[in-house]
PDB file of all heavy atoms in Angstrom:
ATOM      1  N   GLU A  20       7.057   7.858  -7.041  1.00 77.00           N
ATOM      2  CA  GLU A  20       6.743   8.033  -5.616  1.00 77.00           C
ATOM      3  C   GLU A  20       6.944   6.738  -4.837  1.00 77.00           C
ATOM      4  O   GLU A  20       7.609   6.695  -3.786  1.00 77.00           O
ATOM      5  CB  GLU A  20       5.317   8.525  -5.447  1.00 77.00           C
ATOM      6  CG  GLU A  20       4.898   8.674  -3.993  1.00 77.00           C
ATOM      7  CD  GLU A  20       3.390   8.757  -3.816  1.00 77.00           C
ATOM      8  OE1 GLU A  20       2.668   8.883  -4.817  1.00 77.00           O
ATOM      9  OE2 GLU A  20       2.945   8.678  -2.668  1.00 77.00           O
ATOM     10  N   PHE A  60      -6.686   3.524   9.641  1.00 81.00           N
ATOM     11  CA  PHE A  60      -6.864   4.792   8.924  1.00 81.00           C
ATOM     12  C   PHE A  60      -6.743   4.643   7.403  1.00 81.00           C
ATOM     13  O   PHE A  60      -7.315   5.448   6.657  1.00 81.00           O
ATOM     14  CB  PHE A  60      -5.891   5.875   9.437  1.00 81.00           C
ATOM     15  CG  PHE A  60      -4.441   5.502   9.442  1.00 81.00           C
ATOM     16  CD1 PHE A  60      -3.685   5.525   8.306  1.00 81.00           C
ATOM     17  CD2 PHE A  60      -3.834   5.152  10.642  1.00 81.00           C
ATOM     18  CE1 PHE A  60      -2.338   5.196   8.318  1.00 81.00           C
ATOM     19  CE2 PHE A  60      -2.482   4.824  10.679  1.00 81.00           C
ATOM     20  CZ  PHE A  60      -1.735   4.843   9.505  1.00 81.00           C
ATOM     21  N   VAL A  61      -6.034   3.623   6.948  1.00 79.00           N
ATOM     22  CA  VAL A  61      -5.958   3.390   5.489  1.00 79.00           C
ATOM     23  C   VAL A  61      -7.333   3.013   4.934  1.00 79.00           C
ATOM     24  O   VAL A  61      -7.657   3.308   3.780  1.00 79.00           O
ATOM     25  CB  VAL A  61      -4.899   2.302   5.171  1.00 79.00           C
ATOM     26  CG1 VAL A  61      -4.987   1.883   3.707  1.00 79.00           C
ATOM     27  CG2 VAL A  61      -3.504   2.843   5.462  1.00 79.00           C
ATOM     28  N   VAL A  63     -10.200   4.311   5.804  1.00 86.00           N
ATOM     29  CA  VAL A  63     -10.888   5.571   5.527  1.00 86.00           C
ATOM     30  C   VAL A  63     -10.276   6.244   4.296  1.00 86.00           C
ATOM     31  O   VAL A  63     -10.994   6.684   3.393  1.00 86.00           O
ATOM     32  CB  VAL A  63     -10.800   6.499   6.744  1.00 86.00           C
ATOM     33  CG1 VAL A  63     -11.402   7.873   6.415  1.00 86.00           C
ATOM     34  CG2 VAL A  63     -11.478   5.887   7.952  1.00 86.00           C
ATOM     35  N   ALA A  64      -8.932   6.303   4.236  1.00 88.00           N
ATOM     36  CA  ALA A  64      -8.276   6.972   3.118  1.00 88.00           C
ATOM     37  C   ALA A  64      -8.577   6.280   1.790  1.00 88.00           C
ATOM     38  O   ALA A  64      -8.819   6.942   0.769  1.00 88.00           O
ATOM     39  CB  ALA A  64      -6.772   6.997   3.359  1.00 88.00           C
ATOM     40  N   SER A  65      -8.570   4.949   1.779  1.00 87.00           N
ATOM     41  CA  SER A  65      -8.803   4.197   0.529  1.00 87.00           C
ATOM     42  C   SER A  65     -10.225   4.394   0.017  1.00 87.00           C
ATOM     43  O   SER A  65     -10.434   4.642  -1.169  1.00 87.00           O
ATOM     44  CB  SER A  65      -8.527   2.706   0.738  1.00 87.00           C
ATOM     45  OG  SER A  65      -7.183   2.497   1.126  1.00 87.00           O
ATOM     46  N   GLY A  66     -11.193   4.275   0.925  1.00 89.00           N
ATOM     47  CA  GLY A  66     -12.580   4.488   0.530  1.00 89.00           C
ATOM     48  C   GLY A  66     -12.794   5.915   0.036  1.00 89.00           C
ATOM     49  O   GLY A  66     -13.490   6.150  -0.976  1.00 89.00           O
ATOM     50  N   ALA A  67     -12.208   6.874   0.724  1.00 91.00           N
ATOM     51  CA  ALA A  67     -12.348   8.279   0.328  1.00 91.00           C
ATOM     52  C   ALA A  67     -11.703   8.538  -1.033  1.00 91.00           C
ATOM     53  O   ALA A  67     -12.249   9.262  -1.853  1.00 91.00           O
ATOM     54  CB  ALA A  67     -11.714   9.179   1.387  1.00 91.00           C
ATOM     55  N   GLY A  68     -10.525   7.929  -1.275  1.00 90.00           N
ATOM     56  CA  GLY A  68      -9.832   8.142  -2.536  1.00 90.00           C
ATOM     57  C   GLY A  68     -10.671   7.708  -3.734  1.00 90.00           C
ATOM     58  O   GLY A  68     -10.779   8.445  -4.741  1.00 90.00           O
ATOM     59  N   ILE A  69     -11.264   6.541  -3.652  1.00 91.00           N
ATOM     60  CA  ILE A  69     -12.120   6.031  -4.734  1.00 91.00           C
ATOM     61  C   ILE A  69     -13.305   6.929  -4.931  1.00 91.00           C
ATOM     62  O   ILE A  69     -13.688   7.294  -6.050  1.00 91.00           O
ATOM     63  CB  ILE A  69     -12.553   4.594  -4.434  1.00 91.00           C
ATOM     64  CG1 ILE A  69     -11.345   3.638  -4.528  1.00 91.00           C
ATOM     65  CG2 ILE A  69     -13.646   4.143  -5.413  1.00 91.00           C
ATOM     66  CD1 ILE A  69     -11.631   2.241  -4.023  1.00 91.00           C
ATOM     67  N   LEU A  70     -13.936   7.334  -3.820  1.00 92.00           N
ATOM     68  CA  LEU A  70     -15.137   8.203  -3.891  1.00 92.00           C
ATOM     69  C   LEU A  70     -14.779   9.573  -4.487  1.00 92.00           C
ATOM     70  O   LEU A  70     -15.554  10.147  -5.257  1.00 92.00           O
ATOM     71  CB  LEU A  70     -15.737   8.360  -2.504  1.00 92.00           C
ATOM     72  CG  LEU A  70     -17.159   8.940  -2.412  1.00 92.00           C
ATOM     73  CD1 LEU A  70     -18.131   8.066  -3.208  1.00 92.00           C
ATOM     74  CD2 LEU A  70     -17.623   9.052  -0.959  1.00 92.00           C
ATOM     75  N   ILE A  71     -13.614  10.119  -4.136  1.00 92.00           N
ATOM     76  CA  ILE A  71     -13.175  11.404  -4.684  1.00 92.00           C
ATOM     77  C   ILE A  71     -13.041  11.334  -6.198  1.00 92.00           C
ATOM     78  O   ILE A  71     -13.511  12.214  -6.919  1.00 92.00           O
ATOM     79  CB  ILE A  71     -11.849  11.841  -4.032  1.00 92.00           C
ATOM     80  CG1 ILE A  71     -12.093  12.292  -2.586  1.00 92.00           C
ATOM     81  CG2 ILE A  71     -11.186  12.980  -4.824  1.00 92.00           C
ATOM     82  CD1 ILE A  71     -10.816  12.442  -1.780  1.00 92.00           C
ATOM     83  N   ALA A  72     -12.372  10.284  -6.702  1.00 90.00           N
ATOM     84  CA  ALA A  72     -12.199  10.125  -8.149  1.00 90.00           C
ATOM     85  C   ALA A  72     -13.543   9.977  -8.844  1.00 90.00           C
ATOM     86  O   ALA A  72     -13.765  10.550  -9.917  1.00 90.00           O
ATOM     87  CB  ALA A  72     -11.310   8.931  -8.430  1.00 90.00           C
ATOM     88  N   ALA A  87     -12.672  14.638   1.050  1.00 93.00           N
ATOM     89  CA  ALA A  87     -11.246  14.753   1.309  1.00 93.00           C
ATOM     90  C   ALA A  87     -10.968  15.275   2.714  1.00 93.00           C
ATOM     91  O   ALA A  87     -10.097  14.759   3.437  1.00 93.00           O
ATOM     92  CB  ALA A  87     -10.597  15.685   0.273  1.00 93.00           C
ATOM     93  N   ALA A  90     -11.650  12.617   5.316  1.00 92.00           N
ATOM     94  CA  ALA A  90     -10.629  11.567   5.271  1.00 92.00           C
ATOM     95  C   ALA A  90      -9.406  11.955   6.089  1.00 92.00           C
ATOM     96  O   ALA A  90      -8.839  11.173   6.845  1.00 92.00           O
ATOM     97  CB  ALA A  90     -10.220  11.264   3.814  1.00 92.00           C
ATOM     98  N   VAL A  91      -8.978  13.211   5.942  1.00 93.00           N
ATOM     99  CA  VAL A  91      -7.777  13.687   6.633  1.00 93.00           C
ATOM    100  C   VAL A  91      -8.017  13.802   8.146  1.00 93.00           C
ATOM    101  O   VAL A  91      -7.202  13.345   8.947  1.00 93.00           O
ATOM    102  CB  VAL A  91      -7.310  15.035   6.049  1.00 93.00           C
ATOM    103  CG1 VAL A  91      -6.146  15.599   6.871  1.00 93.00           C
ATOM    104  CG2 VAL A  91      -6.872  14.865   4.593  1.00 93.00           C
ATOM    105  N   SER A  94      -8.579  10.305   9.817  1.00 92.00           N
ATOM    106  CA  SER A  94      -7.311   9.562   9.823  1.00 92.00           C
ATOM    107  C   SER A  94      -6.355  10.096  10.903  1.00 92.00           C
ATOM    108  O   SER A  94      -5.690   9.321  11.582  1.00 92.00           O
ATOM    109  CB  SER A  94      -6.635   9.630   8.444  1.00 92.00           C
ATOM    110  OG  SER A  94      -7.412   8.992   7.458  1.00 92.00           O
ATOM    111  N   ALA A 141      -0.483   8.425   9.408  1.00 92.00           N
ATOM    112  CA  ALA A 141      -1.922   8.476   9.116  1.00 92.00           C
ATOM    113  C   ALA A 141      -2.265   9.678   8.262  1.00 92.00           C
ATOM    114  O   ALA A 141      -2.979   9.573   7.241  1.00 92.00           O
ATOM    115  CB  ALA A 141      -2.722   8.504  10.419  1.00 92.00           C
ATOM    116  N   VAL A 142      -1.761  10.844   8.637  1.00 94.00           N
ATOM    117  CA  VAL A 142      -2.056  12.056   7.894  1.00 94.00           C
ATOM    118  C   VAL A 142      -1.425  11.999   6.512  1.00 94.00           C
ATOM    119  O   VAL A 142      -2.025  12.406   5.500  1.00 94.00           O
ATOM    120  CB  VAL A 142      -1.567  13.291   8.672  1.00 94.00           C
ATOM    121  CG1 VAL A 142      -1.707  14.560   7.839  1.00 94.00           C
ATOM    122  CG2 VAL A 142      -2.326  13.449   9.974  1.00 94.00           C
ATOM    123  N   MET A 143      -0.187  11.474   6.434  1.00 92.00           N
ATOM    124  CA  MET A 143       0.491  11.324   5.136  1.00 92.00           C
ATOM    125  C   MET A 143      -0.303  10.428   4.187  1.00 92.00           C
ATOM    126  O   MET A 143      -0.478  10.740   2.999  1.00 92.00           O
ATOM    127  CB  MET A 143       1.881  10.735   5.328  1.00 92.00           C
ATOM    128  CG  MET A 143       2.970  11.711   5.703  1.00 92.00           C
ATOM    129  SD  MET A 143       4.562  10.872   5.896  1.00 92.00           S
ATOM    130  CE  MET A 143       4.786  10.204   4.233  1.00 92.00           C
ATOM    131  N   ALA A 144      -0.790   9.307   4.713  1.00 89.00           N
ATOM    132  CA  ALA A 144      -1.546   8.358   3.887  1.00 89.00           C
ATOM    133  C   ALA A 144      -2.821   8.994   3.352  1.00 89.00           C
ATOM    134  O   ALA A 144      -3.132   8.864   2.166  1.00 89.00           O
ATOM    135  CB  ALA A 144      -1.896   7.108   4.715  1.00 89.00           C
ATOM    136  N   ALA A 145      -3.531   9.723   4.231  1.00 92.00           N
ATOM    137  CA  ALA A 145      -4.768  10.372   3.794  1.00 92.00           C
ATOM    138  C   ALA A 145      -4.492  11.475   2.773  1.00 92.00           C
ATOM    139  O   ALA A 145      -5.157  11.552   1.739  1.00 92.00           O
ATOM    140  CB  ALA A 145      -5.509  10.944   5.004  1.00 92.00           C
ATOM    141  N   LEU A 146      -3.527  12.333   3.076  1.00 94.00           N
ATOM    142  CA  LEU A 146      -3.205  13.432   2.162  1.00 94.00           C
ATOM    143  C   LEU A 146      -2.730  12.943   0.811  1.00 94.00           C
ATOM    144  O   LEU A 146      -3.145  13.437  -0.242  1.00 94.00           O
ATOM    145  CB  LEU A 146      -2.118  14.314   2.795  1.00 94.00           C
ATOM    146  CG  LEU A 146      -2.549  15.150   4.003  1.00 94.00           C
ATOM    147  CD1 LEU A 146      -1.331  15.812   4.642  1.00 94.00           C
ATOM    148  CD2 LEU A 146      -3.587  16.197   3.620  1.00 94.00           C
ATOM    149  N   SER A 147      -1.820  11.941   0.803  1.00 91.00           N
ATOM    150  CA  SER A 147      -1.314  11.411  -0.476  1.00 91.00           C
ATOM    151  C   SER A 147      -2.437  10.812  -1.307  1.00 91.00           C
ATOM    152  O   SER A 147      -2.503  11.016  -2.518  1.00 91.00           O
ATOM    153  CB  SER A 147      -0.256  10.341  -0.198  1.00 91.00           C
ATOM    154  OG  SER A 147       0.884  10.894   0.380  1.00 91.00           O
ATOM    155  N   THR A 148      -3.322  10.036  -0.650  1.00 90.00           N
ATOM    156  CA  THR A 148      -4.437   9.410  -1.358  1.00 90.00           C
ATOM    157  C   THR A 148      -5.382  10.448  -1.939  1.00 90.00           C
ATOM    158  O   THR A 148      -5.798  10.355  -3.094  1.00 90.00           O
ATOM    159  CB  THR A 148      -5.223   8.483  -0.394  1.00 90.00           C
ATOM    160  OG1 THR A 148      -4.325   7.499   0.119  1.00 90.00           O
ATOM    161  CG2 THR A 148      -6.358   7.786  -1.127  1.00 90.00           C
ATOM    162  N   VAL A 149      -5.711  11.440  -1.143  1.00 92.00           N
ATOM    163  CA  VAL A 149      -6.613  12.512  -1.595  1.00 92.00           C
ATOM    164  C   VAL A 149      -6.004  13.256  -2.781  1.00 92.00           C
ATOM    165  O   VAL A 149      -6.657  13.430  -3.833  1.00 92.00           O
ATOM    166  CB  VAL A 149      -6.911  13.493  -0.441  1.00 92.00           C
ATOM    167  CG1 VAL A 149      -7.539  14.785  -0.992  1.00 92.00           C
ATOM    168  CG2 VAL A 149      -7.833  12.859   0.575  1.00 92.00           C
ATOM    169  N   ILE A 150      -4.778  13.716  -2.648  1.00 93.00           N
ATOM    170  CA  ILE A 150      -4.118  14.478  -3.700  1.00 93.00           C
ATOM    171  C   ILE A 150      -3.984  13.641  -4.979  1.00 93.00           C
ATOM    172  O   ILE A 150      -4.239  14.110  -6.079  1.00 93.00           O
ATOM    173  CB  ILE A 150      -2.744  14.976  -3.221  1.00 93.00           C
ATOM    174  CG1 ILE A 150      -2.915  16.015  -2.091  1.00 93.00           C
ATOM    175  CG2 ILE A 150      -1.948  15.594  -4.374  1.00 93.00           C
ATOM    176  CD1 ILE A 150      -1.636  16.328  -1.348  1.00 93.00           C
ATOM    177  N   ARG A 151      -3.601  12.394  -4.826  1.00 90.00           N
ATOM    178  CA  ARG A 151      -3.406  11.491  -5.966  1.00 90.00           C
ATOM    179  C   ARG A 151      -4.722  11.275  -6.722  1.00 90.00           C
ATOM    180  O   ARG A 151      -4.764  11.235  -7.962  1.00 90.00           O
ATOM    181  CB  ARG A 151      -2.866  10.146  -5.482  1.00 90.00           C
ATOM    182  CG  ARG A 151      -2.323   9.263  -6.590  1.00 90.00           C
ATOM    183  CD  ARG A 151      -1.847   7.937  -6.029  1.00 90.00           C
ATOM    184  NE  ARG A 151      -0.734   8.096  -5.120  1.00 90.00           N
ATOM    185  CZ  ARG A 151      -0.743   7.704  -3.859  1.00 90.00           C
ATOM    186  NH1 ARG A 151      -1.803   7.123  -3.335  1.00 90.00           N
ATOM    187  NH2 ARG A 151       0.326   7.872  -3.085  1.00 90.00           N
ATOM    188  N   ASN A 152      -5.835  11.147  -6.004  1.00 89.00           N
ATOM    189  CA  ASN A 152      -7.118  10.851  -6.640  1.00 89.00           C
ATOM    190  C   ASN A 152      -7.779  12.071  -7.237  1.00 89.00           C
ATOM    191  O   ASN A 152      -8.820  11.932  -7.902  1.00 89.00           O
ATOM    192  CB  ASN A 152      -8.045  10.149  -5.640  1.00 89.00           C
ATOM    193  CG  ASN A 152      -7.759   8.673  -5.546  1.00 89.00           C
ATOM    194  OD1 ASN A 152      -8.247   7.862  -6.322  1.00 89.00           O
ATOM    195  ND2 ASN A 152      -6.925   8.291  -4.580  1.00 89.00           N
ATOM    196  N   THR A 153      -7.222  13.254  -7.041  1.00 88.00           N
ATOM    197  CA  THR A 153      -7.682  14.412  -7.790  1.00 88.00           C
ATOM    198  C   THR A 153      -7.027  14.462  -9.190  1.00 88.00           C
ATOM    199  O   THR A 153      -7.317  15.339  -9.988  1.00 88.00           O
ATOM    200  CB  THR A 153      -7.348  15.720  -7.051  1.00 88.00           C
ATOM    201  OG1 THR A 153      -5.919  15.855  -6.950  1.00 88.00           O
ATOM    202  CG2 THR A 153      -7.967  15.768  -5.671  1.00 88.00           C
ATOM    203  N   GLY A 154      -6.116  13.514  -9.421  1.00 84.00           N
ATOM    204  CA  GLY A 154      -5.397  13.481 -10.692  1.00 84.00           C
ATOM    205  C   GLY A 154      -3.982  14.040 -10.583  1.00 84.00           C
ATOM    206  O   GLY A 154      -3.208  13.948 -11.513  1.00 84.00           O
ATOM    207  N   ASN A 155      -3.654  14.607  -9.414  1.00 87.00           N
ATOM    208  CA  ASN A 155      -2.323  15.188  -9.195  1.00 87.00           C
ATOM    209  C   ASN A 155      -1.413  14.134  -8.559  1.00 87.00           C
ATOM    210  O   ASN A 155      -1.282  14.071  -7.344  1.00 87.00           O
ATOM    211  CB  ASN A 155      -2.411  16.422  -8.293  1.00 87.00           C
ATOM    212  CG  ASN A 155      -1.041  17.008  -7.941  1.00 87.00           C
ATOM    213  OD1 ASN A 155      -0.040  16.678  -8.593  1.00 87.00           O
ATOM    214  ND2 ASN A 155      -0.990  17.827  -6.916  1.00 87.00           N
ATOM    215  N   THR A 156      -0.816  13.298  -9.376  1.00 85.00           N
ATOM    216  CA  THR A 156       0.071  12.264  -8.848  1.00 85.00           C
ATOM    217  C   THR A 156       1.504  12.761  -8.701  1.00 85.00           C
ATOM    218  O   THR A 156       2.319  12.090  -8.082  1.00 85.00           O
ATOM    219  CB  THR A 156       0.051  11.027  -9.776  1.00 85.00           C
ATOM    220  OG1 THR A 156       0.332  11.434 -11.125  1.00 85.00           O
ATOM    221  CG2 THR A 156      -1.301  10.333  -9.743  1.00 85.00           C
ATOM    222  N   PRO A 159       2.532  13.988  -4.528  1.00 88.00           N
ATOM    223  CA  PRO A 159       3.104  12.985  -3.628  1.00 88.00           C
ATOM    224  C   PRO A 159       4.482  12.505  -4.060  1.00 88.00           C
ATOM    225  O   PRO A 159       5.312  12.150  -3.238  1.00 88.00           O
ATOM    226  CB  PRO A 159       2.065  11.858  -3.676  1.00 88.00           C
ATOM    227  CG  PRO A 159       0.780  12.548  -4.019  1.00 88.00           C
ATOM    228  CD  PRO A 159       1.172  13.630  -4.947  1.00 88.00           C
ATOM    229  N   LEU A 207       2.872  17.978   2.287  1.00 94.00           N
ATOM    230  CA  LEU A 207       1.608  17.483   1.761  1.00 94.00           C
ATOM    231  C   LEU A 207       0.448  18.359   2.222  1.00 94.00           C
ATOM    232  O   LEU A 207      -0.505  18.561   1.464  1.00 94.00           O
ATOM    233  CB  LEU A 207       1.391  16.031   2.202  1.00 94.00           C
ATOM    234  CG  LEU A 207       2.249  14.975   1.502  1.00 94.00           C
ATOM    235  CD1 LEU A 207       2.121  13.624   2.204  1.00 94.00           C
ATOM    236  CD2 LEU A 207       1.865  14.840   0.018  1.00 94.00           C
ATOM    237  N   PHE A 211      -2.311  20.135  -0.078  1.00 93.00           N
ATOM    238  CA  PHE A 211      -3.723  19.828   0.171  1.00 93.00           C
ATOM    239  C   PHE A 211      -4.575  21.085   0.240  1.00 93.00           C
ATOM    240  O   PHE A 211      -5.726  21.082  -0.196  1.00 93.00           O
ATOM    241  CB  PHE A 211      -3.825  19.030   1.468  1.00 93.00           C
ATOM    242  CG  PHE A 211      -5.236  18.734   1.895  1.00 93.00           C
ATOM    243  CD1 PHE A 211      -6.026  17.858   1.169  1.00 93.00           C
ATOM    244  CD2 PHE A 211      -5.767  19.306   3.055  1.00 93.00           C
ATOM    245  CE1 PHE A 211      -7.340  17.562   1.558  1.00 93.00           C
ATOM    246  CE2 PHE A 211      -7.067  19.029   3.462  1.00 93.00           C
ATOM    247  CZ  PHE A 211      -7.858  18.166   2.704  1.00 93.00           C
ATOM    248  N   PHE A 215      -8.285  21.567  -4.313  1.00 88.00           N
ATOM    249  CA  PHE A 215      -9.625  21.664  -4.929  1.00 88.00           C
ATOM    250  C   PHE A 215      -9.883  23.111  -5.366  1.00 88.00           C
ATOM    251  O   PHE A 215      -9.113  24.031  -5.036  1.00 88.00           O
ATOM    252  CB  PHE A 215     -10.690  21.177  -3.933  1.00 88.00           C
ATOM    253  CG  PHE A 215     -10.588  19.713  -3.636  1.00 88.00           C
ATOM    254  CD1 PHE A 215      -9.760  19.274  -2.584  1.00 88.00           C
ATOM    255  CD2 PHE A 215     -11.265  18.772  -4.372  1.00 88.00           C
ATOM    256  CE1 PHE A 215      -9.631  17.930  -2.306  1.00 88.00           C
ATOM    257  CE2 PHE A 215     -11.144  17.423  -4.098  1.00 88.00           C
ATOM    258  CZ  PHE A 215     -10.340  16.992  -3.057  1.00 88.00           C
ATOM    259  N   GLN A 293      -6.838   1.995 -11.002  1.00 92.00           N
ATOM    260  CA  GLN A 293      -7.942   2.204 -10.063  1.00 92.00           C
ATOM    261  C   GLN A 293      -8.467   3.648 -10.112  1.00 92.00           C
ATOM    262  O   GLN A 293      -9.690   3.857 -10.157  1.00 92.00           O
ATOM    263  CB  GLN A 293      -7.480   1.895  -8.638  1.00 92.00           C
ATOM    264  CG  GLN A 293      -8.562   2.098  -7.585  1.00 92.00           C
ATOM    265  CD  GLN A 293      -8.128   1.664  -6.207  1.00 92.00           C
ATOM    266  OE1 GLN A 293      -7.879   0.477  -5.974  1.00 92.00           O
ATOM    267  NE2 GLN A 293      -8.022   2.607  -5.284  1.00 92.00           N
ATOM    268  N   ILE A 294      -7.544   4.611 -10.134  1.00 90.00           N
ATOM    269  CA  ILE A 294      -7.960   6.022 -10.230  1.00 90.00           C
ATOM    270  C   ILE A 294      -8.687   6.285 -11.532  1.00 90.00           C
ATOM    271  O   ILE A 294      -9.730   6.931 -11.588  1.00 90.00           O
ATOM    272  CB  ILE A 294      -6.739   6.937 -10.088  1.00 90.00           C
ATOM    273  CG1 ILE A 294      -6.092   6.797  -8.711  1.00 90.00           C
ATOM    274  CG2 ILE A 294      -7.135   8.410 -10.317  1.00 90.00           C
ATOM    275  CD1 ILE A 294      -4.759   7.511  -8.574  1.00 90.00           C
TER     276      ILE A 294
END
Side-chain angles (χ1 to χ4, degrees):
E20 177 197 351
F60 53 79
V61 170
V63 175
S65 299
I69 292 170
L70 194 59
I71 287 167
V91 174
S94 296
V142 174
M143 278 180 61
L146 291 171
S147 294
T148 302
V149 165
I150 293 168
R151 193 183 297 121
N152 278 275
T153 64
N155 176 16
T156 52
L207 286 170
F211 176 68
F215 294 88
Q293 179 174 296
I294 296 171

